[in-house]
Amino acid sequence: MNEKITTFLNSGLLEKYLLGDITSAETEMVESYISKYPEVQNAYNTLQYNLEIVAKSNAVEAPKHILNNILEALDDTPVVKMNTSYKQKTWYKFSVAASIAALIFAGTSYLFYTQNQKLTNENQVVVDELFDLRSDIEQNNKMLDKVMRQLLKLNNPETAKYVLSGNERAKDLKTVAYINPKEKTSMIDVVSLPQLPEEQCYQIWAELQGKMVSLGILNEADRKLINLPYAENALALNITIEPKGGNTVASLNNKVAEIDLQ
């Protein structure tokens, strides 16, 4: 592989291209490399496969709907027509007209007050919805960053892939372990786990110089990419059936899957 292709693969542009976080100029460059160089095409295909694995563990909730900023315009203020044609203007009629005007003014003021309160409440709802949307966007950005980091880990040349398939005791069991001894990271993708009785569970172990060290319990709910404790100089990985809650000592007679790491 020539230096030009190596530099391109290490630039992270392929990952950004898959996630859609890329400029138009970078897009043209990536597509050009994919079409010209088989090494880049193979790396792109591998990235797509890895992205499918990562996506299982990162469900993104759809953002909430935002209410309309203003549901209705203010109603037109009713106009009260008064007959100002009088043959006689007495103090009595003047006081009645003044009272009616005061009542109209009070009613109109109350109408504007209630409409203003309604508009204030609606604006507050819009502000709350915008705040929730901003939180959703921030959460989605964090999730996207997490996906990017996991994808980079899976695509790291130092990351080794190990497939653990079940034996006769658990034929449908399948998990995939990803171990990077350079960065000292360990992840596992739980593909399928046969159902066990309620009082039992699956437990994964690392074999270290004749000792079995527990790396955790595997559940059907963990059908996603999860992190495991990194076991330095591990010779093998084993999955056993243990009592519910896990065991401190591996029940090797109940071993259902194993794979050598050396």
Side-chain angles (χ1 to χ4, degrees):
M1 184 181 300
N2 62 45
E3 184 178 351
K4 180 179 179 181
I5 296 177
T6 302
T7 301
F8 173 78
L9 293 177
N10 292 334
S11 67
L13 285 176
L14 269 181
E15 291 83 355
K16 293 174 65 178
Y17 177 74
L18 271 176
L19 296 175
D21 183 20
I22 192 170
T23 65
S24 57
E26 289 173 333
T27 297
E28 292 181 6
M29 179 181 178
V30 170
E31 292 176 349
S32 174
Y33 269 74
I34 291 174
S35 63
K36 289 182 180 179
Y37 304 107
E39 297 92 334
V40 177
Q41 177 69 54
N42 291 336
Y44 175 68
N45 293 338
T46 301
L47 270 176
Q48 283 186 309
Y49 171 77
N50 290 339
L51 182 59
E52 292 177 3
I53 295 173
V54 173
K56 295 193 302 180
S57 61
N58 296 281
V60 178
E61 295 182 358
K64 299 177 182 178
H65 293 291
I66 299 177
L67 296 176
N68 294 330
N69 291 342
I70 300 175
L71 301 179
E72 297 176 354
L74 292 175
D75 295 333
D76 293 335
T77 304
V79 179
V80 180
K81 296 180 180 180
M82 300 183 61
N83 185 3
T84 57
S85 176
Y86 297 97
K87 293 182 180 181
Q88 296 180 346
K89 298 181 179 181
T90 65
W91 286 106
Y92 173 76
K93 291 183 178 181
F94 178 80
S95 62
V96 171
S99 299
I100 293 175
L103 289 175
I104 294 174
F105 176 78
T108 304
S109 298
Y110 177 75
L111 176 63
F112 278 117
Y113 172 78
T114 55
Q115 288 177 338
N116 183 64
Q117 287 296 109
K118 179 181 178 182
L119 184 59
T120 299
N121 293 337
E122 290 173 352
N123 286 340
Q124 185 60 46
V125 171
V126 172
V127 170
D128 292 341
E129 291 291 337
L130 289 174
F131 180 80
D132 290 340
L133 179 60
R134 183 186 303 170
S135 298
D136 289 341
I137 292 174
E138 291 177 355
Q139 188 63 32
N140 290 342
N141 287 339
K142 291 180 181 179
M143 191 71 69
L144 183 62
D145 182 67
K146 179 182 176 182
V147 171
M148 185 69 169
R149 292 177 184 273
Q150 289 182 327
L151 187 59
L152 289 174
K153 286 182 180 180
L154 292 185
N155 197 51
N156 191 316
E158 300 292 335
T159 300
K161 174 181 175 182
Y162 302 93
V163 178
L164 286 83
S165 299
N167 57 21
E168 293 297 324
R169 298 174 62 91
K171 294 182 179 180
D172 294 332
L173 184 149
K174 184 177 181 181
T175 61
V176 183
Y178 299 90
I179 301 176
N180 189 319
K182 184 176 181 179
E183 296 186 358
K184 300 186 184 305
T185 59
S186 180
M187 298 181 292
I188 189 168
D189 177 30
V190 179
V191 180
S192 63
L193 287 176
Q195 188 172 2
L196 288 174
E198 187 176 349
E199 65 275 8
Q200 293 180 328
C201 70
Y202 292 103
Q203 192 166 354
I204 185 168
W205 308 81
E207 182 180 342
L208 296 169
Q209 298 178 348
K211 296 181 180 180
M212 301 295 285
V213 178
S214 175
L215 300 181
I217 296 173
L218 301 179
N219 298 311
E220 182 66 21
D222 291 332
R223 295 190 61 180
K224 58 184 180 180
L225 196 64
I226 58 176
N227 292 318
L228 289 179
Y230 178 75
E232 186 79 33
N233 299 322
L235 301 176
L237 292 178
N238 295 268
I239 299 177
T240 62
I241 296 176
E242 304 292 347
K244 184 178 180 180
N247 211 342
T248 56
V249 179
S251 303
L252 296 180
N253 57 319
N254 288 333
K255 185 187 300 183
V256 293
E258 65 177 319
I259 191 168
D260 293 331
L261 301 181
Q262 300 298 322

